[in-house]
Amino acid sequence: MNANAPQRMPGARALIRCLEAEGVDTIFGYPGGVVLPIYDELYDSSIRHILVRHEQAAAHAADGYARATGRVGVCLATSGPGATNLVTGIATAYMDSVPIVAMTGQVVTSLIGNDAFQEADITGITIPITKHNYLIKDAKELPRIIKEAFYIASTGRPGPVLVDIPKDVSAGMIDYVPVEKVQLPSYKPTYSGHPLQIKKACELIEKAERPVMLVGGGAIISGAHEEVRQLAETLMAPVTTTLMGKGAFPEDHPLSLGMLGMHGTRYANYAVIDCDLLIAIGARFDDRVTGKIESFAPRAKIIHIDIDPAELGKNVRVDVPIVGDARIILKKLISTLKIKLPKTAEWNRKIEAWKKEYPLDYDKDCNELKPQCIVERLNELVKDGIFVTEVGQNQMWAAHYIKCKKPRTFISSGGLGTMGYGFPAAIGAKIGRPDSEVWDIAGDGSIQMNIQELATAVSNDVPVRVAILNNEYLGMVRQWQELFYNRRYSYTSMKGQPDFVKVAEAYGAVGIRVDRKEDVKDAIIAAMKSDKPVFIDFRVSKEENVFPMVPAGASINEFVEQRGYK
């Protein structure tokens, strides 16, 4: 039988065939009326379906799966509210350049535009937050569109693609023929940097005496971590990362400066202010990184490497823009450079002096349980693990004290700052990399936004661990109220929250409570020995703040002190 001969089958079965051809092994979803034909075909397929308890969690889990594995994450929801519940997760993936394919059901094509039951214009809604989206109106277009969706999501600058599938498309019969190639003449990502721009970059690098490398998430996406390390060691140049770039350069390396920006290390921020050359790799110069644009890297020439030409010169002036894949360009840069002896010895001595003068620190002698202490113990005890975070103070403490040595081991919502992201993303990461120890570092506010996913983790035997840094506040908002609003804590108290230990146990998970620093280590070890999901309720200092901190709109060398901005 000719493998390419048309086979008569329902559109839903053709969809599953297309997904299997793309190597999809897991879908995160929630069924509903107009996707029943798809769910009926999933019942007998080779693809594992993870039933979440809220569609937002399906998108976040697909996102976490994608970030942990480097593969495309897939989620599925029904029409109307099912589709709109995916929106926050899609926007999160879009802001952080994560490849996911989100599939939604839609009312039959003849009813589109008629305000039918559970109809929503999800393609119109998601235009600003997807790399591309499709509404399939003819069933015979389904195989081509699914092939294109995965190609677009995973190539160039990755991002989410939405495919809206009316019920008559999934239920109708088509002559299915596999699509082998994508034909998109208008979509041609640039991978190799322009030779002249690479030559110009090399000339600047060879002259620099105070270089700094700024590494963003694009370096992880392209798999450029080895090239980043090689270039840094060739130049003996200090390396700072964005939140998304954590893991692109080993943070236990002597050249590591840690994270840059609003909550970056003082020495990273000082280095960028004082450098004479900034080499930005796969970073988009977000406002949380740059602070006041006019005073960002004021003495430096800037080389910016990014696969998305729209990012070059968008936020900061750039002297040498290079469009292309970070790994490919760095390989060419390294092979072209003519450096026998780096000129950075004096510069590195200055950096080391800053590191000694301004270390990350907190009150270790305090009798209260400090959140920084918990994250430090996690960093010590969890070897080769994956750390996922929620958003807020917990996220910044994780960024400070989790020392990433490998890419795809730190997963966090950066661009959108989505509370409720961490727990479902951790579930997705654990499913994608089941042999890894996966921890979600959470706040008591964030964890309650998708706490129902405990049922997802328990019912699917996904033993993720959650460290809840419970200070009974919306911590980061309270911190701003303390520093800038005279401690007027307007509606940031989390009074009335549940007993997290009992909640975990009610779902069939394990709950542990810790309120003494002497018990932190034992609780973490106990959690790692469990074959069930675990919540640890760490009762931490209620008014602990995240420092260093640069106020919004200030230069990145203007820091807030505990007693207020000075």
Side-chain angles (χ1 to χ4, degrees):
M1 182 178 176
N2 184 355
N4 291 321
Q7 299 176 56
R8 193 74 175 167
M9 64 179 67
R13 188 174 305 167
L15 171 63
I16 300 303
R17 294 277 185 91
C18 293
L19 296 175
E20 290 173 336
E22 294 297 328
V24 174
D25 56 19
T26 307
I27 291 175
F28 303 91
Y30 201 99
V34 298
V35 289
L36 284 178
I38 299 172
Y39 271 86
D40 191 58
E41 294 294 339
L42 270 173
Y43 189 82
D44 297 314
S45 80
S46 64
I47 298 172
R48 181 185 185 188
H49 180 274
I50 302 296
L51 176 64
V52 297
R53 294 331 192 243
H54 190 288
E55 291 92 349
Q56 181 183 342
H60 290 329
D63 177 306
Y65 175 99
R67 296 197 208 205
T69 64
R71 302 193 295 271
V72 177
V74 182
C75 57
L76 171 62
T78 194
S79 63
T84 58
N85 280 343
L86 291 177
V87 168
T88 298
I90 293 170
T92 300
Y94 181 75
M95 289 289 281
D96 291 345
S97 303
V98 181
I100 68 172
V101 170
M103 299 180 297
T104 53
Q106 185 55 276
V107 300
V108 296
T109 52
S110 62
L111 290 180
I112 291 175
N114 288 354
D115 295 329
F117 176 68
Q118 290 194 332
E119 179 189 0
D121 179 12
I122 195 62
T123 51
I125 290 167
T126 60
I127 284 172
I129 56 167
T130 52
K131 189 174 177 184
H132 194 62
N133 64 27
Y134 295 91
L135 168 60
I136 305 177
K137 292 187 176 180
D138 188 334
K140 68 182 180 183
E141 296 294 310
L142 191 149
R144 174 186 63 81
I145 286 173
I146 295 300
K147 188 74 176 178
E148 289 179 6
F150 277 82
Y151 178 74
I152 293 169
S154 60
T155 55
R157 179 178 183 171
V161 176
L162 181 132
V163 182
D164 200 25
I165 307 170
K167 187 174 182 179
D168 53 324
V169 169
S170 60
M173 301 297 291
I174 68 169
D175 294 319
Y176 171 67
V177 178
V179 175
E180 303 294 339
K181 293 183 179 180
V182 170
Q183 303 290 337
L184 291 171
S186 61
Y187 176 66
K188 300 289 182 184
T190 299
Y191 289 94
S192 297
H194 195 285
L196 181 59
Q197 295 301 92
I198 291 173
K199 182 181 177 183
K200 289 179 180 178
C202 287
E203 290 171 355
L204 286 182
I205 291 169
E206 288 162 6
K207 293 176 183 176
E209 296 181 359
R210 302 189 311 280
V212 170
M213 292 170 60
L214 167 58
V215 184
I220 292 174
I221 292 167
S222 71
H225 51 283
E226 286 297 334
E227 287 72 22
V228 167
R229 182 190 56 78
Q230 188 177 350
L231 180 60
E233 292 177 348
T234 298
L235 307 179
M236 289 304 293
V239 180
T240 184
T241 72
T242 66
L243 182 70
M244 294 291 97
K246 277 181 67 71
F249 186 76
E251 293 185 296
D252 59 349
H253 195 290
L255 291 170
S256 174
L257 296 173
M259 189 175 72
L260 175 73
M262 177 176 281
H263 290 292
T265 64
R266 282 181 179 260
Y267 39 87
N269 288 11
Y270 289 155
V272 168
I273 289 291
D274 202 35
C275 70
D276 64 0
L277 177 67
L278 186 66
I279 306 168
I281 303 164
R284 60 185 181 86
F285 293 108
D286 172 80
D287 61 290
R288 290 296 173 103
V289 165
T290 63
K292 185 179 180 181
I293 290 287
E294 293 79 7
S295 56
F296 180 77
R299 303 173 182 85
K301 298 288 186 181
I302 298 178
I303 298 167
H304 190 184
I305 299 167
D306 204 288
I307 201 163
D308 185 353
E311 290 297 340
L312 302 176
K314 183 177 82 174
N315 292 331
V316 302
R317 57 171 180 80
V318 177
D319 297 282
V320 181
I322 309 177
V323 180
D325 178 81
R327 187 180 185 191
I328 293 171
I329 291 169
L330 288 179
K331 281 180 178 291
K332 290 182 178 179
L333 267 177
I334 292 165
S335 64
T336 306
L337 280 171
K338 298 173 183 176
I339 293 180
K340 293 182 179 179
L341 187 65
K343 306 174 184 178
T344 57
E346 184 178 343
W347 177 229
N348 280 312
R349 282 193 291 271
K350 190 172 187 178
I351 298 285
E352 285 304 310
W354 281 331
K355 285 184 177 182
K356 290 177 181 177
E357 187 175 358
Y358 305 111
L360 287 172
D361 202 7
Y362 62 96
D363 185 2
K364 295 181 174 67
D365 298 323
C366 179
N367 290 327
E368 291 185 314
L369 179 55
K370 295 292 185 179
Q372 301 95 321
C373 167
I374 295 160
V375 182
E376 279 191 316
R377 295 295 88 76
L378 284 168
N379 184 62
E380 293 167 6
L381 295 169
V382 182
K383 306 299 183 184
D384 297 320
I386 296 173
F387 290 94
V388 187
T389 82
E390 301 289 345
V391 168
Q393 289 181 317
N394 60 85
Q395 180 184 36
M396 293 299 102
W397 283 316
H400 287 167
Y401 292 100
I402 296 298
K403 304 303 181 184
C404 295
K405 302 175 183 65
K406 297 178 182 178
R408 301 194 182 280
T409 57
F410 189 88
I411 296 172
S412 191
S413 171
L416 199 63
T418 306
M419 290 179 68
Y421 168 83
F423 186 35
I427 292 171
K430 181 65 175 177
I431 288 171
R433 290 172 58 181
D435 295 332
S436 296
E437 181 76 14
V438 178
W439 282 78
D440 174 30
I441 298 176
D444 49 302
S446 285
I447 194 61
Q448 292 185 74
M449 289 197 169
N450 273 309
I451 201 168
Q452 76 286 337
E453 298 311 313
L454 265 166
T456 304
V458 169
S459 62
N460 289 282
D461 298 317
V462 185
V464 295
R465 294 64 161 90
V466 183
I468 304 172
L469 308 182
N470 184 355
N471 56 17
E472 298 182 6
Y473 278 106
L474 294 175
M476 188 61 85
V477 185
R478 184 214 56 77
Q479 176 170 332
W480 280 58
Q481 288 174 334
E482 176 187 335
L483 297 175
F484 308 117
Y485 293 88
N486 298 316
R487 293 198 172 191
R488 289 163 57 84
Y489 295 163
S490 179
Y491 305 106
T492 46
S493 171
M494 295 296 286
K495 290 179 181 178
Q497 65 188 14
D499 182 325
F500 291 114
V501 172
K502 290 182 179 178
V503 169
E505 291 171 348
Y507 276 102
V510 175
I512 302 171
R513 180 173 293 106
V514 176
D515 53 20
R516 301 190 313 156
K517 57 185 176 183
E518 294 85 359
D519 299 330
V520 171
K521 180 178 179 180
D522 288 344
I524 293 170
I525 292 172
M528 289 193 290
K529 288 180 178 178
S530 176
D531 59 358
K532 294 181 178 181
V534 179
F535 269 24
I536 308 180
D537 181 10
F538 289 106
R539 308 306 296 264
V540 300
S541 302
K542 289 181 169 54
E543 293 187 83
E544 188 72 8
N545 289 331
V546 176
F547 291 109
M549 180 183 180
V550 174
S555 298
I556 58 170
N557 61 344
E558 297 176 347
F559 291 92
V560 173
E561 302 296 337
Q562 181 74 36
R563 58 189 172 275
Y565 178 38
K566 70 173 187 179

